[in-house]
Amino acid sequence: MEALEEKLGYQFEQPALLENALTHSSYANESRDREMQSNERLEFLGDSVLGMVVADYLYRAHPDLPEGDLTRTRAALVCEGSLVEVAQQLGLGAYLKLGKGEDAGGGRTRPSILADAVEAVLAAVYLDGGIGSARKIIRRFILDREEEKGASRDYKTALQEMVQRESGQVLTYRLTGAEGPDHAKVFSMEVDLNGATVGQGKGHSKKEAEQNAARAAIEALNR
């Protein structure tokens, strides 16, 4: 368990919570200890903790995104595939307590089991150390990955390539506002195509605002 705690970057005050998070129902059902519980209750709690932390992050980090886009982004971050990536990064399968049949049947690599275990571990961290501890782990293993993917997207270039499919297209970016104190200023930007506004965006820098405006323009033009 210490090796897993090191990978998580978190040490449990109540190690039994982590053990519970790694206990699959197949193992609990085969155990002679009738008081042994599976990780299903923790999975239920972890699902809500994860959803709340991700929603809070997206709401604050992307003030320009409408509800529909926020919902789709959250769904992508908390989906089974995303959680399986986290489990693989942690090597979580090796720590699971599985029943003999489930273990023999490849349960340690089964996506649904791994994803459920990640949610259970997050709940265990939340119960042991509070929402701040859970948020740090979610940030490290899920949200930072989202930021890296977002940083790699050059929406301005993508928009330029899109409009250049037709000759004579002219894109211009205009700063339309700046609010807040110097240390936390939010810039507003519009992008015009041939003089008509096709996208608006905000950001903590002019560059970020331009990228967000370009992203909004791409979405609008694709409609």
Side-chain angles (χ1 to χ4, degrees), residues 95-110:
Y95 301 97
L96 294 175
K97 293 182 177 181
L98 302 175
K100 294 179 181 179
E102 190 65 65
D103 199 357
R108 296 188 185 279
T109 59
R110 198 181 307 281

Side-chain angles (χ1 to χ4, degrees), residues 158-194:
L159 178 60
Q160 186 70 35
E161 292 173 350
M162 176 185 288
V163 302
Q164 283 181 343
R165 294 170 187 168
E166 297 182 21
S167 61
Q169 306 296 303
V170 179
L171 284 174
T172 55
Y173 290 84
R174 295 185 294 109
L175 180 66
T176 59
E179 303 175 340
D182 290 340
H183 69 279
K185 195 173 290 296
V186 175
F187 297 92
S188 298
M189 194 76 65
E190 288 185 351
V191 55
D192 294 346
L193 175 60
N194 300 328

Side-chain angles (χ1 to χ4, degrees), residues 72-85:
R72 284 188 288 272
T73 303
R74 180 184 61 183
L77 290 172
V78 305
C79 71
E80 182 179 279
S82 176
L83 297 181
V84 169
E85 289 182 12

Side-chain angles (χ1 to χ4, degrees), residues 185-216:
K185 195 173 290 296
V186 175
F187 297 92
S188 298
M189 194 76 65
E190 288 185 351
V191 55
D192 294 346
L193 175 60
N194 300 328
T197 301
V198 289
Q200 299 174 323
K202 294 183 178 181
H204 293 291
S205 68
K206 294 179 182 178
K207 183 177 180 180
E208 181 183 7
E210 286 179 346
Q211 287 287 346
N212 287 331
R215 175 171 57 184

Side-chain angles (χ1 to χ4, degrees), residues 81-128:
S82 176
L83 297 181
V84 169
E85 289 182 12
V86 175
Q88 292 171 340
Q89 189 174 352
L90 292 169
L92 201 58
Y95 301 97
L96 294 175
K97 293 182 177 181
L98 302 175
K100 294 179 181 179
E102 190 65 65
D103 199 357
R108 296 188 185 279
T109 59
R110 198 181 307 281
S112 60
I113 291 178
L114 292 175
D116 291 347
V118 170
E119 291 179 336
V121 168
L122 292 175
V125 172
Y126 166 71
L127 292 174
D128 189 74

Side-chain angles (χ1 to χ4, degrees), residues 162 165 215-223:
M162 176 185 288
R165 294 170 187 168
R215 175 171 57 184
I218 290 172
E219 293 173 354
L221 293 173
N222 280 332
R223 295 193 194 105

